[in-house]
Amino acid sequence: MLNEREKILLKTLVERYIHEGQPVGSRSLARFSGLDLSPATIRNVMTDLEEMGYVSSPHTSAGRMPTTLGYRFFVDTLLVVKSLDNEQITLLENQLHPNNPAHLMNVTSRLLSDLTRFVGVVVTPKRMGGAVFRHIEFVALTEKRILLILVTPEGDVQNRIILTETVYGQSDLIEAGNSSISTMPVVRWKKFRSGLARADTTAPRYDWPHECCD
């Protein structure tokens, strides 16, 4: 178990390493830790932390950097997360609009970046099977590559590339998109895909690779 001095120095080391991106020396730790310790004393503490597996050194004369164990201890024990006050929570909630998924994704990513000062990444689950669309459009990219544009009722736009062995004219693709929507105001993906698979031989046939369009 680390004593209080070791915890402070390890916390300082991790924070400085994240900020500077290079091994942290004893003089830097003495300056930023707030402890009244000499560089020699800090070097001795670093040696102890290295023996316990919390820090490592790329070579003898370099400073120290946190190990995986050091990072884990920092996150689990030393990291202090400041709670948001009510005013901040209200401000965040006012910027999120769940009825507009595309806007929600963009705003959430930006908020994460602003709060953490890191890159904000938002990922949604893959749910093509049960998805519903109000607009479907086909655009020919090359003879055997077709861009499928799907628009949800909320305005979210998704794109898929379709590889086909058959060459279709743009008029065929326009007709296919129009006929898909004309029968009903919204189209469920599974029904749309299975309907194309059952198309009779007199209509344009579409090849839907399973891995591209699920």
Side-chain angles (χ1 to χ4, degrees):
M1 188 65 180
L2 302 184
N3 59 41
E4 194 61 28
R5 184 172 65 177
E6 291 169 336
K7 289 179 181 179
I8 293 174
L9 289 175
L10 178 59
K11 182 176 184 291
T12 304
L13 183 140
V14 173
E15 291 173 343
R16 297 314 303 171
Y17 184 75
I18 292 174
H19 179 74
E20 299 172 2
Q22 58 186 6
V24 183
S26 56
R27 292 186 182 278
S28 181
L29 290 173
R31 185 164 63 253
F32 290 102
S33 66
L35 298 175
D36 186 17
L37 300 174
S38 67
T41 300
I42 292 177
R43 282 194 293 271
N44 291 334
V45 175
M46 288 296 105
T47 299
D48 294 338
L49 290 174
E50 187 168 0
E51 290 177 354
M52 289 184 282
Y54 291 102
V55 302
S56 64
S57 179
H59 52 81
T60 306
S61 59
R64 262 73 172 194
M65 61 179 67
T67 63
T68 301
L69 180 63
Y71 276 124
R72 174 50 56 194
F73 187 84
F74 173 79
V75 171
D76 291 342
T77 308
L78 306 178
L79 184 63
V80 177
V81 180
K82 180 183 177 181
S83 300
L84 299 177
D85 57 39
N86 291 334
E87 182 179 350
Q88 291 173 311
I89 293 174
T90 301
L91 180 62
L92 293 175
E93 290 177 342
N94 290 338
Q95 296 183 59
L96 302 177
H97 304 284
N99 294 329
N100 188 335
H103 178 74
L104 180 63
M105 294 279 288
N106 291 332
V107 171
T108 302
S109 177
R110 189 182 74 247
L111 289 176
L112 285 174
S113 180
D114 291 343
L115 289 171
T116 64
R117 298 295 186 267
F118 290 104
V119 175
V121 179
V122 179
V123 179
T124 59
K126 186 176 180 181
R127 54 181 181 87
M128 281 292 290
V132 173
F133 302 98
R134 64 174 173 82
H135 179 77
I136 297 174
E137 183 177 347
F138 301 91
V139 178
L141 300 178
T142 63
E143 285 189 349
K144 296 185 178 182
R145 284 167 59 88
I146 298 172
L147 174 64
L148 171 61
I149 303 172
L150 305 162
V151 183
T152 68
E154 297 80 18
D156 185 27
V157 179
Q158 299 185 29
N159 298 321
R160 296 290 185 275
I161 299 295
I162 301 170
L163 305 179
T164 176
E165 294 301 321
T166 306
V167 179
Y168 299 104
Q170 188 59 44
S171 60
D172 292 330
L173 299 177
I174 293 174
E175 181 182 353
N178 291 339
S179 63
S180 300
I181 298 299
S182 62
T183 55
M184 59 187 72
V186 294
V187 178
R188 192 168 295 278
W189 174 251
K190 282 186 177 180
K191 187 173 182 178
F192 169 66
R193 189 168 182 262
S194 62
L196 288 174
R198 294 194 305 270
D200 60 57
T201 56
T202 61
R205 294 304 300 265
Y206 298 89
D207 302 314
W208 299 89
H210 182 81
E211 65 275 10
C212 293
C213 305
D214 275 353

